[in-house]
Amino acid sequence: MAVPMTVAQLINILYNIVDRMYLGRLPGHLALTGLGLCLPIISILMGFANLCGMGGSPLCSIHRGRGENEEAERIMGNSFVLLLLFGAGLSVFCLVFRRPILYLFGASGVTFPYANDYLTIYLLGTLFVMIGLGMNPFINAQGFSVMGMLTVALGAVVNIVLDPIFIFALDLGVKGAALATILSQACSAAWVLKFLTGKKVILRLRLSAFHLQAARVKRILGLGLSGFVMALTNSLVQILCNASLQHYGGDLYVGVMTVVNSIREVISMPVTGITHGCQPVLGYNYGAGAYGRVRQGIRFTAVVTVGYSIVVWALTLVFPETLIRIFNDEPDLIAEGIRAFRIYFATFFFMSFQFVGQSTFVGLGKSRQAVFFSLLRKAFIVAPLTLLLPPLGLGVDGVYLAEPISNVIGGLACIITMYFVVYRPLDRMRPERPH
């Protein structure tokens, strides 16, 4: 499960950052900065997709483990309807209020036109994002992780092919990047729906399962709240960072943070792929009473994610300039970017502890712990530090410092709690049912 889902996450990140790579090649850094201002909004949209997808799919795995396939299909159907409702509502809201939102998020008179052009077109494809991203976990939850990987790969290939055509050949700039993105997301959404309504699946998307039931919706949203809160707090931090950097530095520093966030997404996605891959396995075995296998899955996930994080952390600190040049080769941006990298990624490997603990809580249906630790690192540590450190004479460095401090405190708190609340008690839960 982990390997194809990890590949899928890597492809998904390529899918998301290819726009930034191409726009970074346009003259200056304003197009890249404008796109960076849209990222918090995009993150919020993806958060709503995860609210339904990552909330419903672990429940599907647990009910499949119990042999309750009919209830699992109802959960999937309810999740699909919620995705459509959220997608339609968010599209209208963001289109109406996009101007004040972008200025609130750190836009200037110079960068607003770029951000507005990208966001307006992107929002027209919100439903495609909801369906493709929100329903793909239900493919993975049934054990079809290779098919789930192909969902993402299809969109990525379409985006990579269309981006240079629209951006450069047709001279559409940021509008071309947005258009390529929503067309690629439409392809992914069509692929997901075709597979989930086909004959190969164990759980099929049926009209009869679309009727929303309050208790079921509450369970889906309760468990999905963890991923949603994580996306929401990530957006909050991006907004605060952009606004603070605009105030203490200017447009150049907002561009630097766009590159930093892009690299962070790339290097953290294998960890996300592994931890998402473990959730259906943990949930299925937990539902089947195979608690020894749940512990084994937690150990495997922890060893792989922490090991990978240490290696990539070292490479990021040693070769920051090489990574920055993927997106932009302006001397000013590179010089500031190298310094920002060394501060921002100073304790990156501690973040893997948060991923392991978080995915275990979600996979086993423990929504309260999952939500708490989603809030702890970003909302209770990073956000306040982003506001408090710069005025103390640290300036833009204070914005960068908030992340490594939160990685240590939040990561250790999450993994230690998971060990004592989940991992150790599982050893005393007997007997296991045959599996």
Side-chain angles (χ1 to χ4, degrees), residues 58-248:
L59 294 175
C60 273
S61 296
I62 292 171
H63 283 288
R64 276 195 63 225
R66 294 172 181 167
E68 300 167 354
N69 284 4
E70 189 175 338
E71 176 59 21
E73 284 192 343
R74 290 197 185 101
I75 289 170
M76 182 168 65
N78 276 214
S79 298
F80 179 70
V81 174
L82 290 171
L83 286 165
L84 296 181
L85 294 175
F86 283 135
L90 288 167
S91 295
V92 174
F93 178 83
C94 292
L95 281 169
V96 172
F97 296 104
R98 65 188 184 279
R99 184 180 184 87
I101 289 173
L102 286 171
Y103 274 104
L104 178 66
F105 288 6
S108 67
V110 178
T111 56
F112 173 78
Y114 296 95
N116 184 59
D117 285 348
Y118 187 91
L119 186 62
T120 301
I121 295 174
Y122 185 92
L123 289 171
L124 298 177
T126 301
L127 280 177
F128 301 142
V129 178
M130 290 291 167
I131 295 170
L133 184 62
M135 293 306 293
N136 204 40
F138 292 96
I139 296 178
N140 297 322
Q142 299 179 57
F144 299 105
S145 53
V146 173
M147 191 60 64
M149 178 188 73
L150 293 176
T151 302
V152 182
L154 173 64
V157 170
V158 174
N159 196 33
I160 291 168
V161 170
L162 292 182
D163 254 335
I165 296 173
F166 289 166
I167 294 172
F168 301 113
L170 299 179
D171 197 26
L172 293 175
V174 291
K175 292 180 181 179
L179 185 59
T181 298
I182 65 169
L183 289 175
S184 60
Q185 288 165 344
C187 293
S188 293
W191 175 279
V192 168
L193 290 179
K194 186 177 187 303
F195 185 76
L196 287 177
T197 54
K199 297 179 180 179
K200 293 182 179 180
V201 290
I202 301 166
L203 307 174
R204 189 168 291 128
L205 190 61
R206 307 175 190 272
L207 282 172
S208 58
F210 285 4
H211 177 69
L212 295 177
Q213 200 264 337
R216 193 176 297 120
V217 169
K218 184 178 178 181
R219 292 177 66 208
I220 293 168
L221 298 183
L223 191 54
L225 197 58
S226 166
F228 175 72
V229 168
M230 187 172 286
L232 201 64
T233 52
N234 278 337
S235 296
L236 171 64
V237 169
Q238 287 178 9
I239 294 163
L240 291 176
C241 284
N242 287 343
S244 296
L245 291 169
Q246 182 69 42
H247 178 74
Y248 289 98

Side-chain angles (χ1 to χ4, degrees), residues 406-421:
S406 73
N407 285 342
V408 175
I409 299 173
L412 289 177
C414 188
I415 196 76
I416 291 170
T417 302
M418 184 276 291
Y419 177 78
F420 286 105
V421 172

Side-chain angles (χ1 to χ4, degrees), residues 326-338:
I326 295 173
F327 296 91
N328 194 277
D329 53 10
E330 285 191 11
D332 290 348
L333 191 143
I334 291 172
E336 177 55 34
I338 291 173

Side-chain angles (χ1 to χ4, degrees), residues 13 17 20 36 39 234 237-238 241-242 254-268 327 341 344-345 378 403:
I13 275 304
I17 70 168
R20 298 169 225 176
L39 296 182
N234 278 337
V237 169
Q238 287 178 9
C241 284
N242 287 343
V254 179
V256 168
M257 184 53 72
T258 302
V259 174
V260 167
N261 281 326
S262 300
I263 296 299
R264 177 181 55 80
E265 289 176 16
V266 173
I267 63 178
S268 64
F327 296 91
F341 263 58
Y344 189 90
F345 291 109
K378 289 290 187 180
E403 184 74 9

Side-chain angles (χ1 to χ4, degrees), residues 362-379:
V362 172
L364 303 187
K366 300 185 181 296
S367 57
R368 280 188 293 183
Q369 291 94 332
V371 171
F372 173 77
F373 286 106
S374 292
L375 284 169
L376 175 65
R377 195 173 74 85
K378 289 290 187 180

